[in-house]
Amino acid sequence: MTVTDAPCAVMDRLPDAFLDCPANRLTEILPGPTLFDLPGRDPRPLFVSTLLHGNEYSGLEAVQAVLRRHAARGLNRSLMLFIGNVEAAAANLRTLPGQRDFNRVWPGTLYPDDPLADTAGWIYDHASKRDLFASIDIHNNTGFNPHYSCVTRLEPKYIALAQLFSRIVVHFQRPVGTQAAAFSTLCPAITVECGKAGAGSATEHAIELVEAALSISHLPDHAPAPHDVDLLRTYAIVKPPEESSFSFDGAPADFVFRPDIDRLNFSELAPGASFGVARAGMKLDILPGDGDDSAPDEYFAYDGGEIRLIRPAIPAMLTTDPRAVKLDCLCYLMHRIGMDGARAP
């Protein structure tokens, strides 16, 4: 397949050695970000993106395993597979220094003039010409988290797709420019968080999801029973101020976070829960996470320098990886919601 106007490689067959190539060697066989368009018996494609962050490779391993399984008999459904930041993968980094995050440049991005936004926009437009069945963006995270799905729409088909992976489903509106948010205008679309890269369970769980999405004929139009889904919404994004210092090992800094902070992920925390200590006068930045541009609620008090919650919250994506914090955030704060989007009492 030759697509002359494409800003990335587009292929209708897999290069030799692709199915067994680790993420850090993809640059040896791929010229850069690559879109594969592979035929299947059902022409409605499943779109899968992986390696939008170069050090999150469970999705690549999962898709390779699925394609090996189907090498002889072919795919039940057509597959559009986007392999993202192969250059960062070669260095086992989320992104290369000075490089824009591959999962912040899709339509709706804050960075429409970035060259990566041209690539993401072209892929979106190319995919929009197809009758997509669903879209799955596969990620890992750096802290201790359960495996969970994320959606931008509280519609039955979106929730049903998310439930193929986990009963824990997070509704999010921020950050913008994500692949899942863009593709949600085309088809049911989810992001899945598979836990830490390198964990066997992460790859196996992603394999199960991709196999299921390639096999099922439809997604239900009816809402799930309340007891079948744990539905949460991101209400706030927590970041250390840009010029501040922070540590997780007790080293002196503007913020000294507790060393086990990622063990708090998805816990229903009560007021008074401690995140660590802050230097006098320092406060964490609290940004809106639910699509509302108004200032979010204050979540922390700093009496005596102790960083303590002042309202109940459920954190996600807490990590002790300083680089991940600098490139993304310290955590997201969530609350339970119903299928109608209303916050649970």
Side-chain angles (χ1 to χ4, degrees):
M1 174 186 295
T2 301
V3 182
T4 57
D5 64 340
C8 66
V10 181
M11 303 181 184
D12 60 2
R13 64 188 63 189
L14 300 172
D16 293 341
F18 174 81
L19 294 182
D20 298 303
C21 185
N24 63 359
R25 297 187 63 184
L26 283 174
T27 53
E28 298 175 17
I29 59 173
L30 299 181
T34 301
L35 178 67
F36 294 104
D37 196 344
L38 306 176
R41 287 180 286 277
D42 186 333
R44 297 173 301 162
L46 172 69
F47 189 99
V48 174
S49 54
T50 186
L51 281 182
L52 297 190
H53 298 145
N55 58 353
E56 301 176 14
Y57 50 82
S58 292
L60 172 70
E61 293 177 342
V63 173
Q64 289 171 324
V66 169
L67 290 171
R68 285 195 296 269
R69 291 179 183 181
H70 292 267
R73 63 183 186 274
L75 294 169
N76 185 59
R77 163 169 284 114
S78 296
L79 175 65
M80 298 182 76
L81 170 64
F82 179 60
I83 306 294
N85 200 341
V86 295
E87 292 85 2
N92 195 31
L93 295 174
R94 177 184 172 105
T95 61
L96 294 179
Q99 187 181 52
R100 192 70 67 190
D101 189 320
F102 267 54
N103 202 28
R104 302 292 185 268
V105 295
W106 298 84
T109 180
L110 297 175
Y111 315 104
D113 297 328
D114 192 283
L116 286 179
D118 291 337
T119 300
W122 185 92
I123 293 168
Y124 172 88
D125 290 340
H126 184 71
S128 71
K129 298 178 176 66
R130 306 283 291 277
D131 182 19
L132 292 180
F133 175 73
S135 171
I136 299 170
D137 183 27
I138 306 176
H139 286 263
N140 296 106
N141 40 55
T142 56
F144 288 95
N145 291 272
H147 294 187
Y148 62 97
S149 304
C150 303
V151 298
T152 60
R153 297 193 179 195
L154 294 176
E155 298 174 20
K157 288 187 176 182
Y158 292 66
I159 301 299
L161 179 64
Q163 286 179 293
L164 291 178
F165 185 71
S166 175
R167 64 173 290 119
I168 303 172
V169 181
V170 175
H171 180 238
F172 77 101
Q173 297 296 310
R174 304 284 178 90
V176 298
T178 64
Q179 189 276 341
F183 273 66
S184 70
T185 65
L186 304 177
C187 63
I190 61 173
T191 299
V192 296
E193 297 285 353
C194 300
K196 293 188 174 185
S201 60
T203 300
E204 288 302 318
H205 201 175
I207 290 171
E208 293 171 5
L209 171 64
V210 174
E211 285 278 22
L214 286 171
S215 301
I216 60 175
S217 61
H218 70 282
L219 293 165
D221 287 314
H222 57 82
H227 59 266
D228 286 337
V229 60
D230 294 326
L231 193 57
L232 306 105
R233 174 181 290 152
T234 300
Y235 278 85
I237 303 171
V238 182
K239 297 185 176 187
E242 191 165 341
E243 299 304 320
S244 65
S245 59
F246 57 89
S247 70
F248 297 95
D249 60 1
D254 294 326
F255 298 94
V256 180
F257 299 115
R258 52 190 285 183
D260 63 345
I261 196 169
D262 57 341
R263 299 289 182 173
L264 301 178
N265 282 324
F266 285 83
S267 299
E268 305 215 25
L269 300 181
S274 175
F275 277 42
V277 296
R279 187 164 286 158
M282 300 296 295
K283 291 186 176 182
L284 295 167
D285 289 338
I286 311 295
L287 307 176
D290 62 353
D292 186 346
D293 287 326
S294 61
D297 292 336
E298 183 55 69
Y299 278 87
F300 296 99
Y302 300 86
D303 297 338
E306 193 82 12
I307 308 169
R308 292 191 181 275
L309 278 175
I310 57 174
R311 63 183 70 251
I314 302 170
M317 301 287 281
L318 280 165
T319 178
T320 58
D321 182 336
R323 182 174 175 82
V325 174
K326 290 177 180 178
L327 291 174
D328 190 10
C329 65
L330 176 68
C331 71
Y332 299 85
L333 296 176
M334 309 179 295
H335 298 281
R336 295 192 180 277
I337 60 171
M339 277 295 296
D340 61 357
R343 186 163 160 177

